[in-house]
Amino acid sequence: MLTTAEKARGLADLPPVQSDSLLQLIALCNADERPEKIDVGVGVWRDGAGNTPILKTIKQAEQRLVDSQASKSYLGGAGDKRFAELLRPILLGQHAGDDRITGLQTPGGCGALRLGFELLAAANPNARVLFGAPTWPNHPPIIRSVGLQAVEYPYYERGQGAIRFEDMIAALEDANAGDIALLHGCCHNPTGADLSEDQWREVVRVVSERGLVPFIDIAYQGFGRGLDEDAFGVRLMLDACDEVVLAQSCDKNFSVYRDRVGSLWVKTGSVETTATAMAHVSQIAREMWSMPPDHGAAAVHIVLEDPQLREEWLGELSTMRDRINAVRQRIASADPRLAFIGKQFGMFSMLPLSKEQVLKLRQDHAIYMADSGRFNVVGLSDAQIDRFTAAVVEALDA
Ligand code: LMR
């Protein structure tokens, strides 16, 4: 019999944990019974009526799966290889033929991030990861979870709606060769403040001259300016650097959020090194999730393989993008202090509100946005836009 002092530690000894702020926000909003509540928290696209419908093309693909899928037997650790082949030109453009670049299916963009950081940590455990603040709140915990040091530099000036580009360049100039630069490919989350083409050129120059490893998170391709335009930075980086890691997501641009559809891409200086890196990736993935879920990727595969469905999907993507940009313009025109929102891209912008002001909007107006002031522009239904804007302007006036 063990004495109290000898008692082994167990689950009862776990310390409390601060759960992810965005997941907390979903729960809080769901629990609010006020019918007029406005959910601009987590990033999901909504139509003018406030719904997140399944894309027609995905519905058709799912129907085909129901009708014709003969087996749900394992596909293997890389998941659906054809899915990755079909994504290749969409993401890589002119680099699609470069056989030093390989991709594999992951559970969402988050799975790709974790896998990519695991790979980079295995290659160089002393590398530091430089990230611009603010960033997606899950980035720093993922970086730390693989044992890498997360180093923050200022990226965005909230009150000005502007990128702190000189600070960003100074931080990258200051990094050590082998350090990792985490960058947002497009539709910056949480600020909507994307690098211009000239700024990308400068970032790519510094990253390649300093010998940094760029890791680009591209979760919203097609939601900003267009599929090719949104991949500008990715492709420019591939022009200049031998080692590039990309975390890609289809969750948003195919609207398959809960199905978790993403991919990890690795470029190295040679076909052989890429093969070795991917062998590591496969082993790490095996230890974490063994094999990625199939359903969503199988549906995306069908859409991209069929020329007609593919064309229709491009139309659906334009519709989603157009609504994002139309809501942006409407909000931007309501008050000069909101004009910056009209110049930004993707689902998110960040309001210059204190945490107290954000909480007050929650209490008084049932408006749910992240404590940081990040809000999902396209989370607003048409009927909610004016009420939301008026409440925000009132908060800014206070
Ligand atoms: C978001 O930032 O709202 C999305 O990327 C969803 C998530 O997982 O946080």
Side-chain angles (χ1 to χ4, degrees):
M1 186 78 176
L2 293 172
T3 66
T4 317
E6 289 165 332
K7 193 169 166 287
R9 285 178 62 91
L11 296 179
D13 300 298
L14 284 169
V17 75
Q18 183 65 39
S19 68
D20 181 275
S21 53
L22 285 170
L23 298 187
Q24 261 175 351
L25 197 64
I26 296 178
L28 279 175
C29 184
N30 286 345
D32 190 328
E33 284 172 1
R34 288 175 283 180
E36 75 278 16
K37 71 184 170 188
I38 294 181
D39 174 12
V40 283
V42 79
V44 287
W45 185 89
R46 295 202 180 98
D47 63 17
N51 300 316
T52 305
I54 300 172
L55 299 186
K56 289 200 181 78
T57 50
I58 289 290
K59 265 287 188 210
Q60 285 188 53
E62 288 182 315
Q63 192 57 56
R64 283 192 205 172
L65 275 176
V66 169
D67 294 341
S68 65
Q69 193 172 46
S71 171
K72 285 193 183 282
S73 165
Y74 294 123
L75 285 178
D80 184 338
K81 291 192 175 153
R82 184 70 187 141
F83 158 81
E85 274 171 32
L86 288 161
L87 271 182
R88 207 176 160 88
I90 294 175
L91 179 64
L92 307 179
Q94 69 273 27
H95 296 276
D98 187 338
D99 52 10
R100 294 168 302 168
I101 311 175
T102 306
L104 108 169
Q105 195 200 321
T106 57
C110 189
L113 282 166
R114 175 66 189 252
L115 189 54
F117 279 122
E118 291 277 358
L119 175 73
L120 292 168
N124 179 6
N126 298 321
R128 302 174 315 151
V129 183
L130 281 82
F131 70 93
T135 193
W136 183 45
N138 208 18
H139 276 151
I142 296 176
I143 295 165
R144 288 192 287 266
S145 71
V146 304
L148 291 176
Q149 193 191 338
V151 180
E152 145 178 350
Y153 62 82
Y155 176 77
Y156 183 73
E157 191 62 53
R158 221 165 55 134
Q160 313 293 322
I163 296 175
R164 292 176 62 168
F165 192 63
E166 281 175 19
D167 291 327
M168 175 180 191
I169 292 298
L172 296 177
E173 294 269 19
D174 217 33
N176 304 322
D179 281 348
I180 298 154
L182 175 62
L183 300 162
H184 295 236
C186 63
C187 304
H188 187 272
N189 179 3
T191 70
D194 282 355
L195 296 172
S196 68
E197 293 192 355
D198 279 344
Q199 287 174 327
W200 267 114
R201 284 189 193 95
E202 185 65 2
V203 168
V204 167
R205 183 191 64 75
V206 177
V207 164
S208 70
E209 279 179 17
R210 294 292 312 146
L212 310 182
V213 182
F215 190 166
I216 307 183
D217 182 359
I218 176 155
Y220 300 90
Q221 192 185 356
F223 270 20
R225 297 169 163 99
L227 279 175
D228 286 327
E229 294 85 343
D230 290 350
F232 178 84
V234 162
R235 296 174 190 173
L236 201 65
M237 202 61 91
L238 290 167
D239 283 340
C241 298
D242 268 349
E243 295 196 355
V244 180
V245 180
L246 307 172
Q248 181 275 348
S249 176
C250 295
D251 289 342
K252 286 86 176 173
N253 54 14
F254 285 86
S255 201
V256 286
Y257 305 87
R258 68 177 69 160
D259 286 336
R260 315 304 301 139
V261 185
S263 57
L264 175 74
W265 297 81
V266 177
K267 176 186 178 187
T268 76
S270 72
V271 174
E272 294 73 29
T273 309
T274 299
T276 305
M278 292 317 278
H280 279 270
V281 161
S282 298
Q283 179 55 30
I284 300 163
R286 173 77 171 145
E287 290 161 15
M288 291 199 292
W289 51 72
S290 186
M291 301 177 210
D294 178 61
H295 179 82
V300 169
H301 168 161
I302 290 172
V303 171
L304 291 180
E305 192 85 86
D306 180 309
Q308 197 186 327
L309 283 181
R310 186 191 181 94
E311 212 40 47
E312 282 171 34
W313 166 67
L314 290 173
E316 292 183 299
L317 183 59
S318 302
T319 302
M320 292 196 280
R321 177 172 59 246
D322 289 349
R323 176 153 206 272
I324 294 172
N325 291 326
V327 178
R328 283 191 172 282
Q329 295 314 320
R330 236 177 105 178
I331 300 173
S333 62
D335 188 285
R337 287 166 297 176
L338 300 176
F340 69 93
I341 293 170
K343 300 189 195 101
Q344 298 180 330
F345 294 96
M347 296 173 116
F348 307 111
S349 279
M350 201 170 228
L351 294 164
L353 297 174
S354 66
K355 188 172 170 184
E356 290 67 36
Q357 288 173 309
V358 168
L359 290 180
K360 196 163 157 34
L361 283 172
R362 206 175 291 170
Q363 270 154 20
D364 297 352
H365 298 278
I367 292 176
Y368 282 79
M369 71 175 77
D371 291 353
S372 60
R374 184 196 91 165
F375 78 104
N376 173 15
V377 176
V378 80
L380 294 164
S381 70
D382 289 341
Q384 291 172 333
I385 297 174
D386 291 341
R387 188 157 58 83
F388 171 83
T389 311
V392 167
V393 168
E394 183 190 302
L396 290 172
D397 286 340

